[in-house]
Amino acid sequence: MKFFKFLLIFLIIAFGFCPIIQAADEVVLERDLEYINVDLPDVIRDLAEMGRFRVVLDRQVRGDVTLTLIHGVTAKEAVGTVARGYGYSSRWLDASTLMIGTSAYIN
């Protein structure tokens, strides 16, 4: 539990200083980001905040995430890839709102 708190604080600090660039209304990661044993909804919310869009999550979205996001990818691409990689579907409701969940929830 102490390690998890340390990791969470580290990620919050890292995101506070994580350089991002914006190109054509898309936020692009300027360097790699690493998540180690972080709650999936927290990763999705972090990416949505970085990408400046809203996200609606199904209550079924859960799990621990360990992954590295490579620089050059947009926040929108990253969140969709993470959702699919952990078995969830996603659908854009409009230009600034993404819905993530099970297939039944999305449809």
Side-chain angles (χ1 to χ4, degrees):
M1 188 65 164
K2 193 172 188 178
F3 175 75
F4 178 73
K5 287 180 183 179
F6 171 77
L7 181 61
L8 186 59
I9 290 169
F10 173 77
L11 289 174
I12 290 169
I13 291 170
F15 279 118
F17 296 103
C18 177
I20 55 174
I21 57 175
Q22 190 169 359
D25 295 332
E26 294 282 332
V27 175
V28 179
L29 300 177
E30 197 171 80
R31 65 177 169 184
D32 297 353
L33 290 177
E34 188 171 37
Y35 292 94
I36 300 172
N37 219 14
V38 180
D39 194 39
L40 178 58
D42 290 339
V43 172
I44 291 170
R45 287 185 194 105
D46 284 342
L47 292 170
E49 183 178 331
M50 287 172 37
R52 299 183 188 108
F53 58 89
R54 292 180 300 260
V55 65
V56 178
L57 291 175
D58 180 357
R59 291 181 184 174
Q60 305 261 342
V61 175
R62 58 181 167 247
D64 292 331
V65 174
T66 298
L67 60 85
T68 301
L69 296 173
I70 305 300
H71 68 281
V73 68
T74 68
K76 287 183 176 182
E77 292 170 334
V79 77
T81 301
V82 168
R84 282 189 307 278
Y86 285 84
Y88 297 102
S89 300
S90 63
R91 178 170 56 103
W92 287 94
L93 300 176
D94 58 40
S96 63
T97 307
L98 178 64
M99 181 185 288
I100 296 177
T102 61
S103 304
Y105 180 77
I106 297 300
N107 297 321

